[in-house]
């Protein structure tokens, strides 16, 4: 069965699903996106992802392609048409199609909406989390508004490629000596006292929806959370480290640039938080 994509009002086999060559998403990365996980037919952290999509659109003054209720119909239909119960759903909204010109197109130019879905196997993620992952550091060379979830991801892609070439899972991005986040996830460490430390929400990081839910889990587990920047040296000396994202959940880190973290295997706090996150996300 071919994968089906939603493009501007139509459901098409992915091989025939396309956007215009003058789509501003294609030419200027003038577009925003969301990635959501679906387990047993239910979207995890749905409210958070929809709210962030609306925030990203608002920050760039891109018109919403449809209201929330209509988008949720498309999000349901893409699962049905692809016969998926466990999926990774990708949604992208661009400022639409117009003759190439840096300034915005005329008011009323319709935005483009693309929604795709593919199978997501939680067992692969769980197996990876059992072992923990290696990460490397890379310079954070991104623009100043990475709190907006745009598709302008070239620096992220270059950092992730450097990680892949080094046999690592992710890249910790470092600016002025401090770890901001990772190429496609938020970064966390656990200090000597057992407190969680993660970069505060700011224009320098993407406010992860998983990050937000993990903070709520930590509060329920009475684990202290300190939102402050931390250095690469602090990270390497941390008791534990982990990453969070919609598709990685809570992923324990066992080495940074070849330096072993803690005992060199997934730590107990990261494991607990992974279980707590999964339970909380599954229950809406
Ligand atoms: N930071 C960056 C740069 C990301 O790309 C992502 C994932 N899209 C995240 C953090 C984590 O965000 P979320 O938990 O909402 O997936």
């Amino acid at each position: 069965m071919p994968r089906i994509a939603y493009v501007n009002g139509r459901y098409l086999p992915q091989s025939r699903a396309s956007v215009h060559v003058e789509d501003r998403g294609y030419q200027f990365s003038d577009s925003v996106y969301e990635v959501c996980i679906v387990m047993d037919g239910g979207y995890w952290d749905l409210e958070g992802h929809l709210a962030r999509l609306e925030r990203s659109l608002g920050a760039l003054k891109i018109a919403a392609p449809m209201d929330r209720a209509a988008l949720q119909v498309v999000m349901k239909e893409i699962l049905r048409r692809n016969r998926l119960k466990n999926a990774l759903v990708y949604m992208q909204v661009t400022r639409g199609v117009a003759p190439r010109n840096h300034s915005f197109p005329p008011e009323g130019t319709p935005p483009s909406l693309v929604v795709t879905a593919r199978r997501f196997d939680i067992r692969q993620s769980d197996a990876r989390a059992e072992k923990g992952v290696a990460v490397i550091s890379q310079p954070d060379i991104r623009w100043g508004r990475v709190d907006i979830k745009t598709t302008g991801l070239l620096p992220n892609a270059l950092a992730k490629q450097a990680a892949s070439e080094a046999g690592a899972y992710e890249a910790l991005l470092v600016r002025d000596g401090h770890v901001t986040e990772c190429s496609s996830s938020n970064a966390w460490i656990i200090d000597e006292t057992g407190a969680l430390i993660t970069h505060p929400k700011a224009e320098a990081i993407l406010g992860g929806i998983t990050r937000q839910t993990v903070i709520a889990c930590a509060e329920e587990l009475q684990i202290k959370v300190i939102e402050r920047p931390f250095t690469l040296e602090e990270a390497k000396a941390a008791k534990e480290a982990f990453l969070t994202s919609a598709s990685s959940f809570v992923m324990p880190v066992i080495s940074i640039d070849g330096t072993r973290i803690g005992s060199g295997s997934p730590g107990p706090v990261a494991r607990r938080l992974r279980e707590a996150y999964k339970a909380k996300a599954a229950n809406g």
Side-chain angles (χ1 to χ4, degrees):
M1 194 189 84
R3 278 171 62 195
I4 304 295
Y6 172 91
V7 186
N8 293 329
R10 297 204 292 164
Y11 294 91
L12 296 166
Q14 213 149 289
S15 56
R16 289 201 286 119
S18 55
V19 291
H20 197 280
V21 289
E22 288 196 304
D23 190 281
R24 290 180 62 92
Y26 175 62
Q27 292 189 325
F28 296 109
S29 295
D30 190 357
S31 83
V32 302
Y33 74 107
E34 280 297 324
V35 173
C36 303
I37 291 298
V38 176
M39 297 298 306
D40 296 326
Y43 276 86
W44 280 14
D45 280 337
L46 177 63
E47 184 66 26
H49 287 284
L50 292 175
R52 186 174 60 189
L53 179 62
E54 287 162 8
R55 178 184 182 274
S56 297
L57 290 169
L60 298 180
K61 299 191 170 74
I62 298 177
M66 56 181 67
D67 66 23
R68 219 187 235 221
L71 180 59
Q72 283 182 248
V73 171
V74 174
M75 291 169 77
K76 209 168 160 190
E77 187 63 12
I78 200 74
L79 299 176
R80 194 184 70 75
R81 296 213 184 208
N82 285 287
R83 299 199 198 129
L84 291 171
K85 284 217 166 345
N86 299 304
L88 183 148
V89 174
Y90 177 83
M91 305 189 278
Q92 180 175 347
V93 182
T94 84
R95 200 182 301 277
V97 176
R100 188 176 183 281
N101 180 347
H102 287 62
S103 336
F104 291 179
E107 193 103 8
T109 301
S112 301
L113 171 63
V114 170
V115 183
T116 59
R118 65 175 149 93
R119 190 168 304 287
F120 180 79
D121 187 350
I122 197 170
R123 289 168 307 184
Q124 276 176 15
S125 172
D126 284 343
R128 181 173 278 132
E130 264 314 298
K131 289 192 184 155
V133 298
V135 303
I136 61 164
S137 60
Q138 286 286 292
D140 188 347
I141 59 170
R142 300 173 301 161
W143 75 315
R145 288 304 307 274
V146 298
D147 59 312
I148 308 169
K149 196 166 169 63
T150 78
T151 58
L153 293 172
L154 187 54
N156 308 58
L158 295 174
K160 184 78 110 202
Q161 178 62 19
S164 300
E165 287 173 11
Y169 177 72
E170 249 289 28
L172 287 180
L173 303 180
V174 181
R175 176 168 290 161
D176 302 329
H178 290 97
V179 174
T180 48
E181 56 179 335
C182 299
S183 75
S184 63
S185 46
N186 290 112
W188 305 65
I189 59 172
I190 301 177
D191 72 8
E192 267 318 300
T193 69
L196 304 185
I197 305 174
T198 193
H199 196 290
K201 257 177 108 169
E203 292 180 355
I205 70 159
L206 181 74
I209 304 307
T210 318
R211 174 188 182 282
Q212 189 175 300
T213 303
V214 167
I215 289 176
C217 291
E219 277 162 9
E220 282 167 22
L221 293 169
Q222 298 189 328
I223 300 169
K224 189 170 171 191
V225 179
I226 305 169
E227 294 183 68
R228 68 158 173 86
F230 57 86
T231 64
L232 184 59
E233 290 65 39
E234 272 185 279
K236 289 182 181 173
K239 215 166 156 188
E240 293 184 36
F242 62 90
L243 319 171
T244 56
S245 77
S247 56
S248 289
F249 313 142
V250 174
M251 186 58 68
V253 169
I254 55 169
S255 75
I256 302 175
D257 292 334
T259 300
R260 207 172 69 174
I261 304 304
S263 62
S265 53
V269 180
R271 282 174 184 274
R272 263 173 87 198
L273 283 168
R274 184 176 173 89
E275 288 318 306
Y277 172 74
K278 281 161 61 178
K280 198 172 184 65
N283 294 319

